[in-house]
Amino acid sequence: MSVKKEKNGVNFIILVVAISIGYAILRYQIKGDVPWKDLPVFILNKGISLAAITLLSLCISIRPLSNLGVQLFSSRQAKKVLGISGLLLTIAHVLLSFLIFNPSYFSVFFEEDGTLSSKGSLSLLAGVVGFMLVIIYHHCFGGVRAGKEKLIKIVTSKKFILGLLLLFGLHLFFMGYSNWMLPSNWQGGLPPISLISFVVVFLGLGINISGR
Ligand code: HEM
């Protein structure tokens, strides 16, 4: 890939991260009531997770998009940069989530007695399995490819990719659906990040079903 193309890929990633974090600040702090002290972890985590899911969904949609006639970041290097950025942001999301994983921040994941709720458990299970699959996917394309042919065939199969997107969708659905259908509750009239992320995953599913 030319230096210019690589720069475009990096600029695109910076734009996605900036818009995602900006939206989190706008919705939850400027329009919402989350205190500014929560910007460095709680709010940043929301922006980072939206950017992660956007970049990962785009990364696995590049080839089907090109089959459908849309050429976007079609070089191998650009795809790699998107994938690695998505993986790093997901790792940051997982670490940040663990730091503040308690009922004061995430009441939806817990029962009143402090144990995990059933929707919290299902959401986390889908998140953890999805995270494992992202790591396996990354392992296939990092470093030497020789000897990984069988695994590469599996992780690029339609079933694997749709399964991955389904897990992302379940992670988001169980944590967020109770709030999605109540626009009157949305802070500043803006949709929650879990819903926006779900729409991104849904688009990814549509592209991969029709173009892979
Ligand atoms: C070990 C695995 C994971 C854990 C423990 C985890 C944990 C969490 C938690 C606690 C939240 C709620 C955040 C909040 O409302 O502020 C969340 C939301 C989210 N997660 Fe994960 N997650 C995991 C994996 C993933 C993966 C693989 C992705 C895909 C890139 C992902 C994407 C998201 C997104 C987009 C949100 C929505 C943020 C929001 O609505 O605020 N997560 N996750």
Side-chain angles (χ1 to χ4, degrees):
M1 185 176 61
S2 73
V3 174
K4 191 163 177 245
K5 268 192 185 165
E6 188 170 341
K7 226 177 154 190
N8 283 343
V10 173
N11 287 344
F12 177 77
I13 290 163
I14 292 172
L15 189 70
V16 169
V17 173
I19 291 176
S20 303
I21 294 174
Y23 184 80
I25 294 173
L26 175 69
R27 186 193 191 261
Y28 297 93
Q29 303 201 281
I30 297 175
K31 298 285 184 187
D33 51 9
V34 177
W36 286 99
K37 73 169 180 59
D38 282 323
L39 173 60
V41 178
F42 182 54
I43 296 301
L44 197 67
N45 188 25
K46 287 180 180 290
I48 282 177
S49 54
L50 173 58
I53 215 149
T54 306
L55 295 175
L56 289 177
S57 302
L58 179 61
C59 176
I60 54 183
S61 300
I62 290 174
R63 193 156 57 89
L65 269 176
S66 109
N67 292 342
L68 295 169
V70 182
Q71 298 293 333
L72 216 72
F73 302 108
S74 45
S75 75
R76 185 177 272 192
Q77 197 57 30
K79 194 175 168 183
K80 211 167 181 174
V81 172
L82 285 182
I84 290 174
S85 314
L87 173 70
L88 289 176
L89 289 164
T90 307
I91 292 172
H93 162 58
V94 171
L95 292 175
L96 290 173
S97 297
F98 279 136
L99 289 179
I100 51 169
F101 195 67
N102 64 62
S104 313
Y105 282 106
F106 300 121
S107 55
V108 73
F109 287 87
F110 293 92
E111 297 288 357
E112 295 223 323
D113 63 3
T115 58
L116 283 178
S117 62
S118 48
K119 48 183 179 181
S121 302
L122 290 170
S123 169
L124 289 174
L125 179 65
V128 170
V129 180
F131 184 46
M132 297 290 113
L133 296 190
V134 170
I135 290 175
I136 294 172
Y137 186 88
H138 174 72
H139 164 75
C140 284
F141 299 108
V144 186
R145 287 183 184 214
K148 297 181 190 163
E149 294 81 3
K150 222 173 175 178
L151 200 55
I152 290 180
K153 208 172 166 201
I154 294 174
V155 303
T156 50
S157 69
K158 192 166 180 170
K159 271 190 195 151
F160 182 94
I161 297 294
L162 296 187
L164 180 61
L165 286 166
L166 200 69
L167 287 165
F168 287 174
L170 290 175
H171 178 53
L172 297 161
F173 177 78
F174 286 117
M175 83 176 68
Y177 73 90
S178 48
N179 201 19
W180 292 352
M181 298 307 156
L182 298 168
S184 54
N185 284 358
W186 294 354
Q187 294 168 2
L190 297 170
I193 282 189
S194 57
L195 177 54
I196 297 179
S197 309
F198 188 80
V199 170
V200 170
V201 170
F202 196 76
L203 286 175
L205 266 173
I207 293 167
N208 277 276
I209 287 173
S210 44
R212 196 173 272 273

